[in-house]
Amino acid sequence: MSMTSLVRCSVLVVTCMGLVGCHSLLDVTDPTQITASDIATVTGANGQRLLVSQSFGGDLAGVFREVAAFTDEWSYDFPPTANIANDRLIQLDKRRGDVIQAGNGSDNHLGLLTNIYSQAGIVIPAVTAYSPDSVRGEYLAQLYAMRGYAVLQMAEDLCPGFPVTDIINNITVYGGPLSTDSALGLASAQLDSALKYVRDSTRFVALARVTKGRVLLDRGKYDEAAAVVASVPTDVVYRSEQDIRIIMSTFYCATCTILSLGDHEGANGLPFVSAHDPRIPLRRLGPRRVNPSDTLYATTLGSSPSDRITLASGVEARLIQAEVALHDNSANWKPILDSLRTGIGLDTLVDPGTADSRLDLLYRERAFWLFLTGHRLGDLRRLIRNYGRGAETVFPTGAYPGGDGSRYGTSTSIPFILAEQLRYNPYITSGCQDGP
Amino acid sequence: MIRSTISTRAMFWGVMASATLAGLSRVAVAQRTVAASDARSGEDRAEELLARPVTVNVDKASLANALNTIAKSARVRLQYRDALVASYTTPITMHFVRTPLGVALDRVLAKTSLRIVPVRDGSLSLAEASDLSDGNRTTGTVMGIVRDDKTHQPLRGASVTLDDSVQRTQTDNEGRYRFLTVPAGAHRIAVRFVGYARQAVLVTVSDDLTVTQDFTLSSSINTLDQVVVTATGAQRYRELGHIVSTINADSVVREAPVTSLSELLTARVPGLQVVTNNGGIVGGDVTLRIRGTSTLYLDAAPIVIVDGVRYRSDNFVGTSEDSRPFNAEPRGPLNDLNVNDIETIEVVKGPSASTLYGPDAANGAVVITTKRGKAGKTEWHVYAYPDVSTLSFGSNSQFFTAQKALQGWGHIPNTTTLYQGQCDLFAQAAKECVLDSLTVFSIPENDPQTAALAKQRPAWHSGASVSGGTVGFQYFYSGNFDSETGSLHLPPIAADMLKQQLGVAALSDAIRNPNTQQTLNLHASIASRINDATNITLVGNYTQATQRGIDPSFFYVQNVYAAIPDPGSDSAAILRAAQANSNAISYLSTTQQDVRRLTVAANGTVQPRPWLRADVSVGSDLDNTIDRGARIVGSQDPNDQGQADDQRRANTNRNAHLGLTMTQHPGILSFRTSLGTDYSYTNMDGLSTDGTNLAPGSVDISTATSQSVWRLWTEAASLGTFGEEVIGWRDRLFLTGSLRLDGSTTFGDAYTAHPFPKVGASWVVSDEPLVAPLRRLGMGDVRLRYSFGASSRYPTSFMKLGQIGVQHGTVEDQTQTLFARTQLPNAKLLPERSRESEYGLDATVWSVVQLGVTWYNRRSNDVLEPYGAPNGLLGEWLNAGDLSASGFEVTMAVKVFESSRMALNIQGSYANNTTKVLSLGSASTGGKGLTGSAAVGYPLNASFGRRTLSVIDTAGGVPDSIISSPTEVISSPIEYLGVLVAPKTYTVTPSLVLFGGRIRMSTLIDGQAGGVQYDFNDYLCAGTHTCTAGFLKSTPLMRQAATAVGNVGDYIRTSNFTRWREVNITGELPLSLRARLHLSQAAVSLQVRNLALWAPSAGKDPESTVGLGTGSAVGGGGYYGYTGIPQPTTWSVRFDLSP
C-alpha cells in the first residue's frame, strides 16, 4: 500500500469513527410525545390536575353503575340466549360476589377507585411545586378530597380486606388488606388534608366537608359528622365533569342485555318506578323479555348534556344532619327532610311514628335524593353495620327475575378479583371477607 | 469491419495444438475440432492458469525480469525465446496485487507486439501477435447472448466481465452483451447471474473481428462463485460464513403469478414466512418472519432495504395508537414497491444481518435491488396481466367465518302451542319447550340474490419500461398501474336493509364495494460513470395508492335470527323478515387510505485503486398516509349520531452508509478489510382525530360536534460503525471476524454505543487436493460454513421513558389541554441482547443434485415485556427473561431429466423453527405479573387455555342430548394448546421445459405443519347453545354447551395445510410471428394462484391469521385468530412484449 493510499484510507477510517462521536446527528426533537420535563410547568401541573378532575367523574360513573346493579337501583333484563356467565354487572345484580371474586376479568370497581387515588397522588407533588401560590391550596384541597372520596367509596362498596395502592415517585407502592374502618380512617386523613389546604373555594369546601361527613357517618361518629357539614349551604353542589348520561347509557333492543330501573327489586327494593317520584323521572323502554307484561323503565335524568353527576351537595349535608338528628332522637330530622322536599314541590313527610320506620323513611329519602350517585350500597351496609338490620332485610333477595331460574346471592359487598391482585400485589394472599 | 463468428473453444484448442506442433518459436492460428471433453478439460486448465492471482512489485525492470517475476508469482512456467523479448528495452514499473495472471501479462505486453499463448502441458508461451493474426490490427469486438440452459430464454441483467473487471457490462432485455475495442489477444469472459452457476471462457480476439461468444447458464441454488451484495460490498458466496438466499425477481415475476412483493417472497426462501393477515383483502397487510420470532414485543419483522435505503415495510411504530380507524385491516406498506421494478432480492437470515445492517436487522434483512439501465440501444418492455379473483364460499364454506344465525323452534310440552322464544338447550332442559326444528341461516351462504358474499372480481395490472444508455450513462424508467377490486362486497340483502336504515335510494360505491385499491408506481434509475474509478447511481420510486380498507366484521349483520319469522321459514322468508328489521345491520363502516410515497437513493462507488473501493449511499423513504373512516350505521345507542376518524401520518426514514473495502492478496493468503458506518433516522409524525355526533347523514368529520385529537409521534436516530476482516487461504478457507458499535436514541437521551462481535468461517472442502479423487467420482463443490454473531435490540422510546398522554377536553367549562402519565418510566431498562450461531453445508453431487443444509441456534436475553399492573395502576416495561430459537433449513435442487428438447427439474425446501421461553427473569418473581402469557418452557406464539374435560348435567342427572346447566369440568390449571405460528414449512417446485424452452411450465406447492388455530364457527355456534350434535359434527354437544364459559381450548384445531400456490404455463410466440409483429420478445403466460388448499381442519384458511401483531403474537388463549378471509384464487394471463 502506497503512502498516499494509506493516508487516504486513514482519513476515511477516522471519518467513520468520528461520526460515532458526533452526537449532533443523534439529537432528536423528542423521543416521545410529552416528556416529564415538558409538564414540569405551571401549565403542565394544571393540565394534570384537570385530567384527574375529568377522570374523577368518569371513573366514579363506572363505580356508580356497579353500585346501582348490586343494590336495588337497577335491575337487569336479558334475552334467554344471552351469555351471562361472564357478565360482571349481572353477577353483581345477582349479588354473586363469590362468582366475581373467582373470576379472571379486570377489577372494575377497585381499579377505577385506585386510578383516582393514585393519579391524584401523582399530581400533588406537581401542583405543590409549580402551581402559583394563589391557587395552590385550592388545587391541593381538590386533589386530597378526590383521594379521600375514592377511599371512602372503596370502604363503602368493597368487602373488607381490599388494598389501597399508590404510586409514589413513579414507583408502585402496593397496599395491604384493610378493614372497612381502617379504610375510612385513611379517607378521613386525606380529607383532613383537603380541609387543611382549602380556603375560600365553596365547591372544594363542600366536596371535602360533605365527604368527610359521610366518612364520619359510616364510622358512627354522628355528632362529628353533623358538625363538619353544618356550614355547607344547601344550594351548593360539587358536580363531576361528566354528564350523567355516562351512567345512563340505557337503550332497548330485542336481543340486548338491558339496564332498567329497579322496582321493588328482590322484595326489599324501593319502588323507584312505581313511586313516580319527580326526583327520578321515567322513560319507558319496552317489555321485559321473560315476562312481556312487565315494562322496563329508564330515567330521563341526564337527558340534557349539562346534567352532570352530583358528587357532593348541600342536600347531602342536610341528609347527614337529618340522620344524625334521628340517631340522636331529635325531632329535627323531619323538618330538615321536609325543607328539602318542599324546595322542589314535594309534600312534607308523614312521620311513621316508630324508630325503625323513621329510619326506613330517612333512607328512602336518601335513596331518591342520591339516586345513581354511588351512595346506596354504603347506605344499605350502614343499615346493617350501624343499625343492626339483617342483610336479607335490606338487599334484594329471593328468586332472581332474569328467567334463568337462579336466586339472589348473599353478598353484602363487592369483592375485588382475587386472581388479579394475587398476580401483582405481594401483600394480598387471600380474598376479602364479605361483610358489612 | 470484417464480421465473423469463431468457435472459441475450437480456436483455443487449435492454438494450443498448433503451438505444440510448431514448437515454441512460432504459433499459428488454426481451427481444429477436438473431442469436447478434452476441450473442456483444456479450457478449464487454461482458465485456471490465467485466473491465478499474481502480486508483483517491479521498478524499472527489464521485460524479461518483469515476465519472470509474474510467472513466479503465479507459479506458472512461462516459455519464450530470449531474442523475442530482448528487443524491448523500455524499463518496466508495475504493481499488481492479486491481479489475474492474464490481465497482468496483457498489461505488461500492452506496448509490445507479443502475446501469450497457453500450451497444453499447462505452461504458457510467448508469441508475436503477427503470428497469431492475419495483420497488424490491434482491437476487436466480443459479443454474445446469455441464455438459460433449460429454457433457452435470454437472461437480462447478467453481469459480464472482460478480464476480471477490466470491462464490465450487463446483458440487455434480449440477453445480449458486447465489448468494443478489445485488444487483440487472449481474454477471459466471465458471466455471473443470480441463481445461476458462474461461467468463464477464454476467447482470442483478432483485429477488427467480432468474436461471438454465447453462454448458456445452468441454474443453481447457491453456487460458490455467485456474488452477493452485502453492506460490505460485493462478495463471493464462498467467502461468507452465513447463508444468503437470493431471488432473481425479474425472472420470477415474468413467469409466476405474483403481483406483489409479498407474493414474490412467499415460499421462495426457506425460513422466511410471509403471513397474510387477511388474504382475501386487496391491499391487506403482510407480516414477514425470518426463523420465527426472537422477541416478545419489539418489531419482529426483518428490515427491508431498497437500493441501500431503509424501506418501511410494516406498520409497527412502537406506539399503541397506530391502528387504523374502525378496525380496518391495516394496509401493507411492503407492497408499495412494484415487483416489476425489482431486479434481485437477497435475504440475509443469519447472525450476520445485524452485524451488517445494524441492530434493527436482528430479525434479518431483505435487500432489494431495483432494475438499472444497460448500455446499448433503447429497449422497451410492455406487460399487462388482467386477472380474476374469487373467494370460495360453497355450502361447505369451511374457510369462511361468516356468522350463522340459529333459531330453535319448539312447542310447549304437552301442548301444541308454539314456544315463543329460542328453544335452546337451556329451555329444553328446563322443560319449557320441546325442540321441533332448527333454522340455520347464514346471509353469505343463503342470500338467494347472490348465493355468495364474494363476487368474482377482475383486476388489471399493466406497465411499461424503457431503458438504455451509453457506457457513461444508463437509464431505466418504468411505470405501473394496478386496479383491483376485492371480492368481498355488500350482499344485496344487506344493501337493501342499509338503504332502508339510511333512507337513501342508492348506496355509494364505497359501501357497495368496500375493498378496492388503485396503485400507480413510477420508477426511475440513472447511472453515470464519472471516470474509470467512479460511478454514481440515482434511483427513485414513487407510489401513489388509494385503498378502501375493510373491517373483517364488515359482514356483521346482526339480529337476523331475531327476525326469523316462523318454523320452517325458507331463506326468502327470512330475508324478507330481516329486511324489515331496522336493527339488522348494527355496525357498518368504510375506510379509505391515501398514500403518497417517495423513496430516493443515491449510490456512489469510488475505486481509486484496484484494491480499494469506497461505497457511499444516502437515501430517504418518505410517505404521507391519510386514513379516513366513517361509521355509516351507528351502534344501537339512539344517542349515537355516527362517528368519523381521520388519521394523518408522515413517515420519514433517512439513512446514510459509508463503506470502505480494501483487498490484498499476498501469496496464498487474501485479506479483505471492510470499514463502514451507518446512520439512520426514523420519524413518524401524525395526528389522529376522532369525531362523534356527525351531522345527520354525513360521514365528514368536520361536521362532528365533538372531536378528540391525538398527536402521534415517534422519533429515533441511530449510528453504528463496523469493521470486518476476511482472511482467505488458497481461495478455499475464509475466516471472518468483525466488530460493530451501535447506539440509538430510542434507548433514551444518552447515546451509548455497545459492541457486538461476529465471527465466521467458510471452507470449500472440495477444493482440497486430498478430495480430488472424490471429484472424479462426481462430487462437485462442497463447502462447510459457520457463523456466529451478537446484536442488541433497542426498546422503543416510550418503554424507557414511560408515556404521558395529552388530550383536549372541556373541564371547568373551558377547553383545556390535559396531561396524564399513562405508563411509568423504567430508567434501568436494558436493550434486548441476542446471539446466534449458524452451521451449514453446501454440496453439489454429479452436477444434478444441489443440497444446502443450515442449522442455527439463537438465544435472546433481557427480553422486554410489559408489566401490566392491576386495573387502575400504571404499567411499565421490564427486561423479563430469555428466549431461544433453533432450527434447520434444507434446500435441494435436482435435475431429473435434461435434453435439448426437454428438461425437468425439481426444487424443494424444508424449514423447521422451534422457539422456547427459557426464563422470565425477575419479572416472574417478586410478585410482579406480566401482561403476556409467555410461559417458561413453552414456545413463543403459544396458545394457552382450558379444555373442557366433561360436562355435568346437574339438572338432568345424567348427560344426554339435552343440556340443562352446563357445569363443566375443565382442565386446570390453564394448559398449553399449541403454537399459533406453524414451526414447519416446506415447498416443492417442479418445472418442465418443452420444445427447447418455447413452452415452460412450473408450479409451486407449499405448506406448513405443527401449528394450531382457533375454529370460529364451532365456537360461535356452540356459544348460542343452539347447535345440535347433528349440525356440528366436530364438536360434541356437551362441549358446545360448555362454551358458555368460553373454554377456547375446546376450539383449537391444527393449522396444517398444503396449498397449490402457483401454476404457470408460458409460451413464446413463434419466431415468424414475432418478426411479423416486429417484436424481439413476446410471451404469453397463463397463471393461477392459490389453486387448491388441503387442510385437515375446518374453520378458516390457516394462512388468514388475524392478530399476529408485533413481535409477540403472545398467544395466551387470546381470542384473536378466529376470523379470517381466505386467500383468493386468482387466474391471470400475462403478456410480455418487447419491440
Side-chain angles (χ1 to χ4, degrees):
Chain A
M1 184 184 295
S2 70
M3 184 56 69
T4 307
S5 302
L6 196 61
V7 170
R8 287 181 183 173
C9 175
S10 301
V11 168
L12 284 169
V13 172
V14 170
T15 304
C16 293
M17 301 304 289
L19 285 173
V20 175
C22 186
H23 283 213
S24 62
L25 279 174
L26 299 166
D27 286 343
V28 293
T29 310
D30 209 2
T32 183
Q33 292 183 51
I34 304 290
T35 64
S37 59
D38 288 334
I39 57 172
T41 61
V42 173
T43 305
N46 194 44
Q48 292 180 75
R49 180 189 67 84
L50 292 168
L51 187 53
V52 175
S53 179
Q54 187 191 53
S55 62
F56 184 45
D59 289 343
L60 286 177
V63 169
F64 297 170
R65 190 180 295 127
E66 295 202 342
V67 168
F70 196 84
T71 63
D72 54 351
E73 290 183 322
W74 268 349
S75 176
Y76 274 79
D77 187 59
F78 41 83
T81 54
N83 181 357
I84 62 171
N86 288 330
D87 191 314
R88 178 179 166 91
L89 282 177
I90 290 176
Q91 295 302 327
L92 284 171
D93 198 42
K94 289 183 168 186
R95 296 176 59 207
R96 292 296 302 273
D98 53 334
V99 173
I100 292 169
Q101 190 169 29
N104 291 308
S106 62
D107 204 325
N108 286 352
H109 212 92
L110 178 60
L112 291 168
L113 294 169
T114 301
N115 184 56
I116 297 170
Y117 184 79
S118 61
Q119 287 286 348
I122 289 173
V123 180
I124 284 172
V127 167
T128 303
Y130 303 108
S131 292
D133 293 343
S134 57
V135 294
R136 184 184 299 121
E138 301 304 316
Y139 290 174
L140 289 174
Q142 182 192 20
L143 293 165
Y144 278 113
M146 288 191 283
R147 278 165 69 86
Y149 197 105
V151 181
L152 162 69
Q153 199 72 45
M154 291 184 203
E156 287 196 345
D157 301 345
L158 298 172
C159 59
F162 62 87
V164 177
T165 298
D166 208 354
I167 295 173
I168 300 172
N169 294 329
N170 285 326
I171 295 173
T172 304
V173 180
Y174 286 99
L178 291 175
S179 66
T180 300
D181 194 62
S182 299
L184 289 170
L186 177 59
S188 183
Q190 298 289 329
L191 293 163
D192 286 344
S193 296
L195 290 170
K196 183 183 103 179
Y197 286 109
V198 75
R199 287 199 290 261
D200 54 356
S201 167
T202 307
R203 285 190 339 128
F204 298 152
V205 168
L207 176 65
R209 286 189 172 276
V210 172
T211 309
K212 179 71 187 291
R214 195 171 151 192
V215 169
L216 293 168
L217 208 59
D218 282 334
R219 301 186 85 181
K221 298 179 179 180
Y222 290 93
D223 292 340
E224 291 178 49
V228 81
V229 301
S231 61
V232 178
T234 303
D235 60 349
V236 170
V237 178
Y238 184 90
R239 292 191 174 94
S240 84
E241 298 291 344
Q242 309 291 335
D243 73 66
I244 205 167
R245 289 190 303 174
I246 195 171
I247 306 177
M248 295 299 297
S249 56
T250 300
F251 57 90
Y252 186 87
C253 81
T255 58
C256 307
T257 298
I258 296 173
L259 301 165
S260 65
L261 293 191
D263 198 44
H264 296 294
E265 185 189 358
N268 294 319
L270 293 174
F272 292 114
V273 173
S274 53
H276 296 288
D277 191 299
R279 287 169 289 188
I280 307 176
L282 301 176
R283 176 167 66 89
R284 186 180 183 281
L285 290 174
R288 186 179 288 278
R289 265 70 60 87
V290 174
N291 182 4
S293 62
D294 280 356
T295 301
L296 303 175
Y297 286 91
T299 176
T300 58
L301 281 174
S303 56
S304 164
S306 62
D307 287 350
R308 294 183 181 169
I309 306 167
T310 297
L311 301 180
S313 65
V315 170
E316 185 178 355
R318 301 293 85 78
L319 290 170
I320 291 171
Q321 288 176 305
E323 183 169 346
V324 174
L326 186 61
H327 178 267
D328 292 345
N329 290 320
S330 164
N332 201 33
W333 66 272
K334 184 171 176 300
I336 295 174
L337 297 180
D338 284 344
S339 172
L340 295 176
R341 288 175 62 89
T342 55
I344 59 167
L346 288 172
D347 294 336
T348 58
L349 297 168
V350 176
D351 186 351
T354 66
D356 277 352
S357 55
R358 284 171 180 167
L359 191 64
D360 289 342
L361 183 60
L362 172 73
Y363 271 69
R364 186 182 192 280
E365 283 299 289
R366 281 182 62 87
F368 278 86
W369 278 115
L370 302 174
F371 185 69
L372 283 187
T373 60
H375 286 67
R376 185 64 176 158
L377 179 53
D379 283 3
L380 298 185
R381 292 178 72 195
R382 193 162 66 250
L383 281 172
I384 300 169
R385 194 172 58 241
N386 292 13
Y387 298 99
R389 296 288 179 89
E392 299 309 301
T393 67
V394 296
F395 279 101
T397 186
Y400 187 70
D404 61 349
S406 63
R407 300 181 66 82
Y408 282 100
T410 58
S411 301
T412 57
S413 58
I414 297 173
F416 57 77
I417 292 179
L418 179 60
E420 191 186 33
Q421 291 297 321
L422 287 175
R423 285 181 64 201
Y424 302 100
N425 190 332
Y427 306 112
I428 298 296
T429 55
S430 62
C432 56
Q433 300 300 311
D434 184 49
Chain B
M1 174 184 287
I2 300 170
R3 186 181 178 86
S4 68
T5 301
I6 300 171
S7 164
T8 306
R9 290 182 181 180
M11 189 183 78
F12 172 82
W13 267 112
V15 168
M16 294 181 67
S18 300
T20 306
L21 290 171
L24 297 177
S25 59
R26 309 228 357 131
V27 179
V29 174
Q31 294 190 27
R32 185 167 174 174
T33 303
V34 296
S37 58
D38 288 349
R40 183 71 225 169
S41 155
E43 279 181 15
D44 289 345
R45 280 208 303 276
E47 186 185 317
E48 189 273 332
L49 215 59
L50 291 173
R52 286 187 185 179
V54 295
T55 299
V56 175
N57 291 296
V58 174
D59 287 310
K60 298 178 180 175
S62 65
L63 177 59
N65 279 342
L67 289 170
N68 289 339
T69 306
I70 291 172
K72 186 179 178 184
S73 175
R75 292 171 285 115
V76 170
R77 193 155 58 95
L78 177 64
Q79 308 168 52
Y80 57 89
R81 290 183 303 160
D82 290 343
L84 206 57
V85 299
S87 58
Y88 297 99
T89 56
T90 306
I92 295 173
T93 297
M94 60 185 184
H95 300 281
F96 294 124
V97 178
R98 280 303 268 184
T99 306
L101 172 62
V103 176
L105 290 173
D106 273 354
R107 289 188 183 172
V108 170
L109 300 175
K111 293 180 179 177
T112 72
S113 61
L114 304 177
R115 292 291 179 267
I116 287 294
V117 178
V119 183
R120 186 189 289 272
D121 65 357
S123 62
L124 299 174
S125 72
L126 216 53
E128 285 283 356
S130 56
D131 294 334
L132 301 174
S133 61
D134 294 335
N136 294 320
R137 292 157 298 209
T138 56
T139 63
T141 299
V142 180
M143 59 178 289
I145 298 177
V146 181
R147 299 175 188 275
D148 181 290
D149 69 333
K150 296 191 298 293
T151 67
H152 299 283
Q153 291 306 300
L155 294 174
R156 176 192 185 280
S159 173
V160 188
T161 57
L162 173 71
D163 293 338
D164 288 324
S165 303
V166 169
Q167 287 190 46
R168 181 187 297 271
T169 187
Q170 284 187 308
T171 54
D172 61 18
N173 273 348
E174 295 164 28
R176 289 188 297 256
Y177 75 93
R178 177 180 301 187
F179 293 113
L180 303 173
T181 63
V182 179
H187 296 277
R188 184 167 179 262
I189 309 291
V191 182
R192 291 190 176 103
F193 195 40
V194 171
Y196 291 86
R198 182 187 66 103
Q199 273 196 18
V201 299
L202 206 64
V203 299
T204 299
V205 175
S206 301
D207 294 342
D208 275 356
L209 291 179
T210 295
V211 178
T212 300
Q213 175 61 54
D214 295 338
F215 292 86
T216 53
L217 302 187
S218 306
S219 61
S220 166
I221 298 173
N222 282 316
T223 62
L224 297 184
D225 289 310
Q226 179 183 318
V227 172
V228 294
V229 181
T230 68
T232 59
Q235 268 184 287
R236 289 179 302 160
Y237 191 65
R238 67 164 57 213
E239 298 176 15
L240 304 177
H242 59 276
I243 190 165
V244 176
S245 301
T246 54
I247 300 172
N248 179 8
D250 184 54
S251 299
V252 174
V253 169
R254 286 181 187 231
E255 299 202 354
V258 296
T259 58
S260 65
L261 180 53
S262 57
E263 291 177 351
L264 179 59
L265 291 170
T266 299
R268 286 191 170 80
V269 176
L272 171 63
Q273 282 178 286
V274 181
V275 182
T276 54
N277 289 352
N278 260 309
I281 290 182
V282 167
D285 198 10
V286 294
T287 306
L288 302 182
R289 293 286 182 272
I290 291 179
R291 293 178 177 172
T293 305
S294 62
T295 180
L296 290 174
Y297 281 92
L298 295 178
D299 190 2
I303 62 169
V304 175
I305 296 170
V306 178
D307 297 323
V309 179
R310 279 285 300 275
Y311 194 78
R312 189 171 73 87
S313 60
D314 60 26
N315 289 297
F316 184 90
V317 294
T319 77
S320 57
E321 295 167 335
D322 56 354
S323 59
R324 199 170 172 185
F326 297 103
N327 299 316
E329 170 66 21
R331 186 175 169 279
L334 175 71
N335 289 327
D336 282 344
L337 202 62
N338 175 24
V339 285
N340 292 282
D341 291 335
I342 299 173
E343 188 78 55
T344 61
I345 299 173
E346 293 176 351
V347 179
V348 186
K349 295 182 283 190
S352 301
S354 44
T355 311
L356 297 171
Y357 296 102
D360 288 348
N363 307 309
V366 177
V367 184
I368 295 172
T369 304
T370 58
K371 290 178 180 173
R372 307 291 158 84
K374 312 290 185 304
K377 70 171 188 177
T378 300
E379 295 176 358
W380 288 88
H381 174 220
V382 181
Y383 61 86
Y385 45 119
D387 63 42
V388 174
S389 294
T390 184
L391 296 175
S392 175
F393 305 105
S395 57
N396 300 316
S397 58
Q398 61 172 345
F399 299 119
F400 180 60
T401 55
Q403 288 193 341
K404 291 180 173 62
L406 297 112
Q407 174 69 50
W409 297 104
H411 61 274
I412 296 173
N414 304 318
T415 73
T416 57
T417 306
L418 180 68
Y419 178 72
Q420 296 293 334
Q422 181 77 282
C423 185
D424 64 5
L425 300 169
F426 293 109
Q428 295 169 45
K431 311 297 185 195
E432 293 174 356
C433 65
V434 175
L435 183 67
D436 297 324
S437 65
L438 185 70
T439 303
V440 181
F441 182 73
S442 166
I443 279 195
E445 295 172 12
N446 296 99
D447 183 346
Q449 300 175 58
T450 62
L453 188 62
K455 278 184 175 178
Q456 285 191 347
R457 293 290 197 182
W460 180 258
H461 314 268
S462 58
S465 65
V466 58
S467 65
T470 63
V471 173
F473 178 83
Q474 300 93 43
Y475 62 87
F476 181 94
Y477 303 112
S478 72
N480 175 79
F481 180 72
D482 294 338
S483 178
E484 303 159 275
T485 302
S487 295
L488 302 169
H489 70 123
L490 193 70
I493 177 64
D496 289 345
M497 288 187 279
L498 191 56
K499 280 189 277 189
Q500 286 180 13
Q501 281 183 270
L502 297 176
V504 296
L507 298 172
S508 67
D509 183 62
I511 296 177
R512 286 183 284 112
N513 296 305
N515 182 210
T516 61
Q517 180 168 257
Q518 287 81 41
T519 310
L520 170 69
N521 300 99
L522 299 174
H523 173 80
S525 164
I526 55 173
S528 178
R529 185 178 180 185
I530 306 299
N531 54 43
D532 287 347
T534 309
N535 292 285
I536 292 179
T537 305
L538 302 175
V539 186
N541 286 291
Y542 176 74
T543 301
Q544 184 170 323
T546 297
Q547 188 231 18
R548 289 178 193 155
I550 191 167
D551 177 356
S553 64
F554 173 79
F555 318 98
Y556 196 62
V557 182
Q558 276 191 340
N559 294 340
V560 172
Y561 61 87
I564 297 173
D566 299 301
S569 297
D570 60 13
S571 294
I574 294 171
L575 288 165
R576 280 195 302 273
Q579 276 182 291
N581 184 343
S582 62
N583 285 324
I585 297 180
S586 68
Y587 187 92
L588 181 63
S589 62
T590 63
T591 59
Q592 177 169 315
Q593 185 174 87
D594 294 290
V595 178
R596 293 184 179 194
R597 184 170 190 175
L598 178 64
T599 308
V600 293
N603 298 296
T605 302
V606 183
Q607 191 160 10
R609 293 287 182 272
W611 52 270
L612 178 63
R613 176 188 169 103
D615 294 287
V616 181
S617 67
V618 293
S620 65
D621 177 29
L622 314 169
D623 74 75
N624 279 292
T625 301
I626 301 176
D627 258 320
R628 282 171 290 207
R631 196 167 65 219
I632 306 299
V633 177
S635 71
Q636 292 159 318
D637 184 348
N639 295 319
D640 189 337
Q641 298 295 324
Q643 182 179 342
D645 288 359
D646 186 305
Q647 216 178 71
R648 293 160 190 252
R649 286 172 289 177
N651 289 286
T652 302
N653 280 331
R654 293 195 196 102
N655 62 285
H657 168 81
L658 172 63
L660 193 64
T661 305
M662 292 160 285
T663 54
Q664 288 184 305
H665 305 272
I668 59 174
L669 293 176
S670 64
F671 295 94
R672 187 176 197 278
T673 306
S674 301
L675 298 170
T677 188
D678 298 288
Y679 170 73
S680 173
Y681 172 84
T682 305
N683 172 231
M684 189 274 288
D685 191 357
L687 280 179
S688 179
T689 309
D690 293 349
T692 55
N693 292 327
L694 307 181
S698 174
V699 294
D700 186 348
I701 197 168
S702 66
T703 69
T705 59
S706 175
Q707 290 188 2
S708 301
V709 182
W710 295 268
R711 188 181 184 194
L712 311 175
W713 180 270
T714 60
E715 186 179 30
S718 62
L719 186 60
T721 300
F722 66 89
E724 183 178 273
E725 184 67 46
V726 182
I727 302 173
W729 182 72
R730 291 189 184 278
D731 209 31
R732 55 179 182 256
L733 177 63
F734 299 89
L735 301 175
T736 302
S738 66
L739 188 69
R740 187 178 177 101
L741 293 169
D742 276 300
S744 170
T745 61
T746 58
F747 191 48
D749 48 4
Y751 173 87
T752 305
H754 296 269
F756 299 102
K758 171 194 153 187
V759 294
S762 173
W763 182 25
V764 185
V765 180
S766 53
D767 282 2
E768 293 291 345
L770 282 175
V771 299
L774 294 176
R775 282 269 196 189
R776 285 193 288 274
L777 293 174
M779 185 184 80
D781 290 336
V782 176
R783 180 176 71 131
L784 299 175
R785 51 186 157 79
Y786 167 76
S787 185
F788 168 84
S791 65
S792 68
R793 308 284 314 283
Y794 287 86
T796 54
S797 55
F798 70 87
M799 290 180 179
K800 181 182 179 186
L801 302 176
Q803 280 185 305
I804 295 171
V806 58
Q807 57 181 278
H808 302 279
T810 302
V811 183
E812 298 181 348
D813 300 322
Q814 289 183 21
T815 301
Q816 311 264 13
T817 303
L818 313 174
F819 305 101
R821 180 164 283 287
T822 55
Q823 182 185 288
L824 294 175
N826 182 351
K828 298 177 180 175
L829 212 59
L830 299 171
E832 289 186 0
R833 295 175 292 116
S834 64
R835 57 184 190 274
E836 183 172 354
S837 299
E838 179 184 292
Y839 312 81
L841 164 72
D842 303 306
T844 306
V845 183
W846 296 310
S847 300
V848 295
V849 177
Q850 287 179 307
L851 178 71
V853 185
T854 302
W855 294 265
Y856 63 90
N857 193 299
R858 185 172 60 221
R859 187 83 173 259
S860 302
N861 303 105
D862 292 333
V863 174
L864 293 157
E865 173 101 352
Y867 158 52
N871 198 13
L873 294 169
L874 300 177
E876 63 182 301
W877 286 83
L878 301 172
N879 292 107
D882 309 312
L883 311 173
S884 74
S886 60
F888 63 94
E889 295 152 4
V890 181
T891 57
M892 180 178 283
V894 181
K895 290 182 181 177
V896 179
F897 177 79
E898 191 171 43
S899 73
S900 61
R901 303 287 295 171
M902 189 173 87
L904 174 62
N905 293 277
I906 298 177
Q907 292 192 6
S909 70
Y910 177 81
N912 186 10
N913 174 268
T914 307
T915 60
K916 184 187 280 187
V917 178
L918 299 177
S919 79
L920 291 176
S922 59
S924 61
T925 60
K928 291 194 169 184
L930 302 173
T931 58
S933 62
V936 174
Y938 292 94
L940 295 174
N941 312 113
S943 183
F944 298 92
R946 293 187 171 92
R947 293 181 194 272
T948 303
L949 303 178
S950 63
V951 178
I952 300 172
D953 187 346
T954 53
V958 292
D960 53 23
S961 61
I962 303 293
I963 304 303
S964 56
S965 179
T967 303
E968 77 288 0
V969 178
I970 59 175
S971 61
S972 181
I974 288 174
E975 64 177 289
Y976 171 62
L977 301 174
V979 61
L980 294 168
V981 177
K984 300 170 185 171
T985 57
Y986 51 89
T987 65
V988 179
T989 312
S991 59
L992 178 65
V993 175
L994 299 172
F995 309 114
R998 287 195 293 277
I999 301 292
R1000 305 183 291 278
M1001 293 182 277
S1002 64
T1003 190
L1004 169 60
I1005 297 167
D1006 68 292
Q1008 68 179 33
V1012 296
Q1013 63 172 349
Y1014 292 104
D1015 185 331
F1016 178 75
N1017 268 334
D1018 265 14
Y1019 179 82
L1020 184 75
C1021 181
T1024 60
H1025 316 295
T1026 49
C1027 303
T1028 65
F1031 177 65
L1032 275 180
K1033 296 183 175 63
S1034 57
T1035 304
L1037 181 61
M1038 287 295 182
R1039 291 198 174 181
Q1040 292 173 31
T1043 307
V1045 188
N1047 289 325
V1048 295
D1050 295 337
Y1051 300 93
I1052 205 83
R1053 309 280 186 261
T1054 174
S1055 63
N1056 294 356
F1057 75 86
T1058 299
R1059 189 184 292 277
W1060 193 355
R1061 178 84 58 184
E1062 296 175 1
V1063 179
N1064 176 76
I1065 303 172
T1066 298
E1068 293 286 336
L1069 262 59
L1071 192 59
S1072 57
L1073 183 56
R1074 275 189 275 166
R1076 196 179 309 158
L1077 297 172
H1078 302 288
L1079 296 173
S1080 61
Q1081 186 190 359
V1084 180
S1085 300
L1086 173 63
Q1087 304 171 335
V1088 191
R1089 186 166 186 84
N1090 301 325
L1091 190 59
L1093 174 67
W1094 297 274
S1097 167
K1100 68 184 183 63
D1101 187 333
E1103 279 194 293
S1104 295
T1105 302
V1106 173
L1108 191 61
T1110 59
S1112 58
V1114 176
Y1119 287 78
Y1120 61 78
Y1122 285 139
T1123 60
I1125 298 170
Q1127 300 270 348
T1129 301
T1130 304
W1131 298 75
S1132 62
V1133 179
R1134 177 173 173 127
F1135 300 89
D1136 278 281
L1137 307 173
S1138 291

